[in-house]
Amino acid sequence: MKGLTLERLQTDFETKSRVWRNGTCRQQTLAILDKQQPDTGWQLQEAVCLATNSFSRDNFQARQRSIMQWVAFFDIVQHLQIKQDDPIAVFAQEPNYTALDKQFLQRLDVRVLDADLNGDHVAGLGEAKQHVRASSFVFEAFMDLGVEAVGDLFEGDPALYIGSSVERWRETSQRSGVASTAKRSAAEIVTDGGRNDDEDGEGGVTRSVARLMGSRRSYRMPRFEEDPNIFDGLLIYWKEDG
């Protein structure tokens, strides 16, 4: 964006942060997380933000959306950090980040990860794959996930996940005629190994979705009154105790 500097980008971030902190969406989201926190705490080691798009490119609507999504993720991480003693390392991955975006994130002590590109799409989760695990919080704001990437995400089994891909893949599997697999219990799928599905294709992803859905509960992201489209379609997923 012409004339955009690091200082101005920082100011935009602070302005959006005030809007987010004063809204009911934040209050309700944090209340959900506090209520669903395990008895032993979230015990997070890493927080990974995927696919916010650029904060500095010359597209006003996309830029406003990207900054607000980043504000929400970063504030949630700070809230979760207060709840535990061990530090949470913060990572961000987006193939469209500019040099200015990376400078901005570095100022926030965020490590920028590399996304391996395959044509116009990220090949799997790129470098983020190694940071998606049982001790992770993953925020995925409408990322266009292919089979490999969604497999990486679900097999990583993050403790806390806010995103849209689980619901999209569940709906896709139902429309494509593999609904019977998606609706089976996680125990059934693990027991028989999903013999009727190919391991590396959509069938394998369907099993991953079913396993994740079978061990988790979810809430829809509360409505963001200031701009409902920014978070509409995101769900909050957490592991059910026991």
Side-chain angles (χ1 to χ4, degrees), residues 96-112:
N96 291 322
Y97 279 154
T98 65
L100 183 58
D101 293 330
K102 295 177 181 179
Q103 292 175 25
F104 164 70
L105 293 171
Q106 289 167 359
R107 178 175 283 191
L108 296 176
D109 197 24
V110 175
R111 178 183 164 190
V112 178

Side-chain angles (χ1 to χ4, degrees), residues 92-157:
Q93 182 170 288
E94 165 57 62
N96 291 322
Y97 279 154
T98 65
L100 183 58
D101 293 330
K102 295 177 181 179
Q103 292 175 25
F104 164 70
L105 293 171
Q106 289 167 359
R107 178 175 283 191
L108 296 176
D109 197 24
V110 175
R111 178 183 164 190
V112 178
L113 303 174
D114 291 329
D116 297 326
L117 293 179
N118 180 12
D120 294 330
H121 299 281
V122 176
L125 286 185
E127 191 180 358
K129 179 179 179 179
Q130 62 186 291
H131 301 288
V132 176
R133 58 189 72 179
S135 58
S136 301
F137 161 43
V138 176
F139 185 91
E140 167 261 306
F142 310 105
M143 185 176 178
D144 185 14
L145 294 178
V147 171
E148 183 179 352
V150 78
D152 289 348
L153 174 63
F154 298 155
E155 291 300 329
D157 195 29

Side-chain angles (χ1 to χ4, degrees), residues 161-235:
Y161 162 62
I162 299 178
S164 60
S165 290
V166 168
E167 186 69 10
R168 287 206 311 272
W169 272 91
R170 185 181 67 82
E171 293 173 351
T172 298
S173 67
Q174 291 174 344
R175 289 195 302 268
S176 63
V178 292
S180 58
T181 301
K183 292 180 179 178
R184 291 158 62 204
S185 70
E188 289 174 324
I189 292 171
V190 171
T191 298
D192 68 15
R195 287 186 298 267
N196 295 326
D197 298 324
D198 61 295
E199 185 66 32
D200 298 322
E202 289 192 10
V205 174
T206 300
R207 291 197 304 279
S208 295
V209 171
R211 284 195 295 269
L212 186 142
M213 294 288 282
S215 63
R216 294 172 187 256
R217 297 296 178 266
S218 66
Y219 278 126
R220 289 202 170 273
M221 186 88 168
R223 182 179 174 87
F224 184 57
E225 296 293 346
E226 291 76 5
D227 189 342
N229 292 326
I230 289 182
F231 300 113
D232 186 34
L234 295 181
L235 283 84

Side-chain angles (χ1 to χ4, degrees), residues 1 13 21 29 33 35 63 115 136 177 191 196 207 210:
M1 179 177 175
F13 169 71
R21 287 195 298 266
T29 298
L33 297 178
K35 182 178 181 180
R63 182 170 172 269
S136 301
T191 298
N196 295 326
R207 291 197 304 279

